[in-house]
Amino acid sequence: MKFLNFLHAGSERLGALVADQHVLDLTAAWPSQPAPSSVDELIAGGAQALELAQQAIEQAQLACDKGSAAACLVYDSITVLPPVSMAGRNIFNVGRNYRDHIIEGNLANGRPADAFPKAIEFFTKPRTSLVGHRGEVPRHGLLTNSLDYEVELAIVIGKAGRDIAPEHAHEHVFGYTILNDITARDLQRLHGQWFKGKSLDGSCPLGPVVVHASAIDNPDNLQLSLDIDGEERQSDNTNSMIFNVAAIIAQLSAGMTLLPGDVIATGTPKGVGFAQQPPRCLEIGQTVRARIEGIGELSNTVVA
């Protein structure tokens, strides 16, 4: 099941993406009231809401098969929203989690190539930075000369927990999505930490869907890639992560409660713009496409 948030007739709706070309309006097809209008509300409803979602999918698909345009919307024609609310907690992020990306970053910053982190490096991005699929990423030319990109697998938490053991980590996952960790590298260096350089408005493209965990056989073995105007810049597999999904959830939840709807980005592979010679970062007019196997494609355009 691929769930998403979208706009229809001026209101936010909960949808299901079918065959990557049609969106079923689950809010309209919901078998009881009140009907959820977002992925967050679906997650908050727990197992019972997921069962109702399956019923709504079946009902909407039946209407779609009978030719109902209201129940079956064309994916390319709708406004896709970020799959989580801007009202939640900051997005949690993992830094430096792919070996080759760590090496390229070390070399670009004048550090020893083999300086690897001994523990997971966590930081956050505010939800005010969220932007959806086909949304615009501001270039922020007055603030940065080095706006970069990072494709990442993101975990969406479905069940609250603290001190979660690695062997139980996947029980707390609702699903997975794509995150592009847009980063102002010069601001990141200027402020001596990562938050400011990774928190500009529009710097967190997320989506387009949240794929339920039951549809992902192994999140630690997914192909991911990123291209700019069709030129591939990043390509790897999540099996290259130093800290896998279970380890990330276990370490982040140690002494800290994770809540339903929390989002955790898991790090990016090599190929980022600032580490290339010469650096090749984002410019106005470019279209960035981030892809992850089993989830889909997140596309955004850089604007002035």
Side-chain angles (χ1 to χ4, degrees):
M1 291 179 282
K2 294 183 175 182
F3 298 107
L4 74 159
N5 296 333
F6 69 100
L7 281 179
H8 182 62
S11 63
E12 184 174 335
R13 320 283 282 186
L14 170 67
L17 181 60
V18 180
D20 291 342
Q21 57 182 337
H22 291 105
V23 173
L24 305 178
D25 188 340
L26 301 189
T27 299
W30 204 256
S32 64
Q33 294 298 324
S37 60
S38 67
V39 176
D40 285 289
E41 292 178 11
L42 173 64
I43 294 172
Q48 182 181 12
L50 198 59
E51 292 178 5
L52 293 174
Q54 184 60 56
Q55 295 177 34
I57 289 172
E58 294 171 358
Q59 183 68 26
Q61 186 62 64
L62 182 61
C64 182
D65 293 341
K66 292 181 178 179
S68 171
C72 191
L73 305 170
V74 178
Y75 177 51
D76 288 341
S77 70
I78 65 171
T79 299
V80 180
L81 302 172
V84 298
S85 168
M86 285 194 179
R89 301 201 296 183
N90 277 15
I91 306 294
F92 300 110
N93 297 72
V94 173
R96 305 204 309 151
N97 196 25
Y98 285 75
R99 178 181 176 86
D100 289 344
H101 172 57
I102 295 171
I103 292 173
E104 71 175 357
N106 286 343
L107 294 175
N109 288 307
R111 296 190 296 259
D114 60 352
F116 294 100
K118 297 180 180 179
I120 299 178
E121 298 173 336
F122 290 112
F123 62 94
T124 71
K125 296 171 77 82
R127 294 208 179 196
T128 49
S129 65
L130 283 170
V131 62
H133 176 54
R134 298 193 287 260
E136 296 178 339
V137 173
R139 174 61 182 80
H140 293 291
L142 297 178
L143 295 175
T144 177
N145 291 317
S146 185
L147 196 68
D148 213 340
Y149 51 84
E150 296 186 358
V151 59
E152 307 196 17
L153 173 70
I155 306 160
V156 181
I157 295 297
K159 184 174 73 171
R162 189 183 72 182
D163 300 321
I164 301 168
E167 60 268 26
H168 296 299
H170 292 281
E171 300 169 15
H172 293 261
V173 177
F174 176 82
Y176 301 92
T177 187
I178 305 170
L179 185 146
N180 187 352
D181 180 18
I182 303 293
T183 305
R185 300 294 182 187
D186 38 10
L187 290 183
Q188 185 179 4
R189 290 189 292 268
L190 175 65
H191 290 278
Q193 42 71 42
W194 296 359
F195 181 75
K196 180 61 180 178
K198 290 177 173 285
S199 298
L200 301 180
D201 287 357
S203 68
C204 192
L206 189 73
V209 298
V210 176
V211 178
H212 191 259
S214 62
I216 301 291
D217 290 336
N218 182 5
D220 298 316
N221 187 24
L222 298 174
Q223 289 295 127
L224 70 168
S225 63
L226 181 143
D227 73 65
I228 297 178
D229 292 339
E231 178 191 356
E232 186 172 270
R233 297 286 187 90
Q234 293 183 282
S235 180
D236 208 327
N237 190 292
T238 56
N239 61 23
S240 297
M241 293 192 298
I242 297 174
F243 304 101
N244 64 17
V245 167
I248 291 168
I249 292 173
Q251 290 196 32
L252 184 59
S253 71
M256 187 186 88
T257 301
L258 297 181
L259 298 175
D262 280 346
V263 177
I264 310 169
T266 60
T268 197
K270 67 177 180 180
V272 295
F274 89 97
Q276 298 184 35
Q277 296 296 329
R280 302 177 68 199
C281 293
L282 295 173
E283 299 297 342
I284 294 169
Q286 291 180 327
T287 297
V288 187
R289 296 179 178 88
R291 300 180 181 90
I292 299 182
E293 177 186 359
I295 301 176
E297 176 182 285
L298 173 64
S299 178
N300 300 92
T301 300
V302 182
V303 300

